[in-house]
Amino acid sequence: MTSSSPNPARDDATLAWRDYSRDDLPPMLGVALTCFTQQGYHGTTIRQIAARAGLSVPGLYHHYPSKHALLVAVMSHAMSDLWPRSQGAVAEAGPSVARQFGLLIECLVLFHAHRKNLAFIASSELRSLEPAAHAEQIAARDRQHRLMDSIVEQGVETGIFSTPYPKDVSTAVITMCTGIAQWYQPDGPLTAEQLAERYRDIAFMTIGGADRA
């Protein structure tokens, strides 16, 4: 499978796609993310974000011209974090389509567990975006979806996967993984890594005909 070259600015994530030991979300966006997570985008005021960030409202506007601009920046950060991690997972897998599928599932699970608030807001607040920003975010999500589509389609074409519904399976496993952001708790019964292991098993049972990679 051929994929685009990693973004040079994110080579660290590409080379260490399982590493969540640090979060490079800028502090001001971190404050906005906390407010959006706790109160929702529409329930959050720019004054609340500024106060939590230790800024005046004009001081916040110096960096971001509106609450909408903060939301766009948070969402863009989510996709620019996930994409090179996904590329890194596929690159690690090498030419094995089954392994590409398994590692991409692992990547999606880890991201939506370790970055649950970021992933949740990036998905749930798409409805709050203005048209141009909405189109940009949908394009980034479509690119991510096509990566899974291409792996599943190649597996079906070569007889590695037996599902008669490659498009549906691709959507189903992506939805299964992204849904983790809605309920996962770090102090729950499974670590993110254990959950990734379990979801890989479920995904391979769904895809049919492939030994677990």
Side-chain angles (χ1 to χ4, degrees):
M1 190 195 81
T2 302
S3 60
S4 303
S5 297
N7 182 341
R10 302 284 303 188
D11 277 349
D12 57 334
T14 304
L15 296 174
W17 58 271
R18 294 183 183 87
D19 182 12
Y20 286 90
S21 59
R22 67 183 181 88
D23 186 355
D24 59 359
L25 183 67
M28 195 178 301
L29 294 184
V31 170
L33 174 60
T34 298
C35 290
F36 297 155
T37 301
Q38 293 176 348
Q39 300 160 206
Y41 174 71
H42 292 292
T44 298
T45 67
I46 201 74
R47 187 174 299 278
Q48 289 170 333
I49 297 172
R52 283 201 180 196
L55 296 170
S56 65
V57 171
L60 188 152
Y61 281 142
H62 177 74
H63 299 280
Y64 294 93
S66 65
K67 185 174 71 167
H68 181 263
L70 284 163
L71 179 63
V72 171
V74 166
M75 289 187 168
S76 296
H77 182 87
M79 298 312 295
S80 67
D81 189 358
L82 176 58
W83 177 243
R85 291 181 187 275
S86 300
Q87 290 181 304
V90 173
E92 180 182 314
S96 168
V97 175
R99 185 162 169 76
Q100 289 174 11
F101 179 72
L103 292 191
L104 186 54
I105 293 293
E106 180 183 351
C107 177
L108 290 173
V109 172
L110 293 180
F111 179 82
H112 288 86
H114 286 296
R115 297 280 191 264
K116 58 170 293 185
N117 289 342
L118 184 66
F120 177 74
I121 291 300
S123 176
S124 65
E125 294 295 353
L126 278 170
R127 60 192 175 183
S128 301
L129 293 176
E130 296 171 3
H134 186 273
E136 183 178 342
Q137 291 302 312
I138 292 298
R141 288 173 175 276
D142 286 348
R143 179 179 65 172
Q144 185 73 41
H145 203 299
R146 287 194 300 270
L147 182 60
M148 181 67 77
D149 285 345
S150 64
I151 294 172
V152 173
E153 288 168 3
Q154 186 176 349
V156 170
E157 288 169 2
T158 56
I160 296 170
F161 303 146
S162 64
T163 179
Y165 311 112
K167 287 287 188 182
D168 295 317
V169 167
S170 182
T171 298
V173 297
I174 289 172
T175 303
M176 175 180 75
C177 294
T178 58
I180 290 168
Q182 300 180 38
W183 59 264
Y184 180 75
Q185 296 297 330
D187 59 353
L190 295 176
T191 66
E193 291 70 26
Q194 289 169 332
L195 187 63
E197 187 84 1
R198 183 169 296 185
Y199 269 46
R200 285 177 66 186
D201 285 341
I202 294 170
F204 272 101
M205 286 187 282
T206 304
I207 203 73
D211 291 333
R212 186 188 181 286

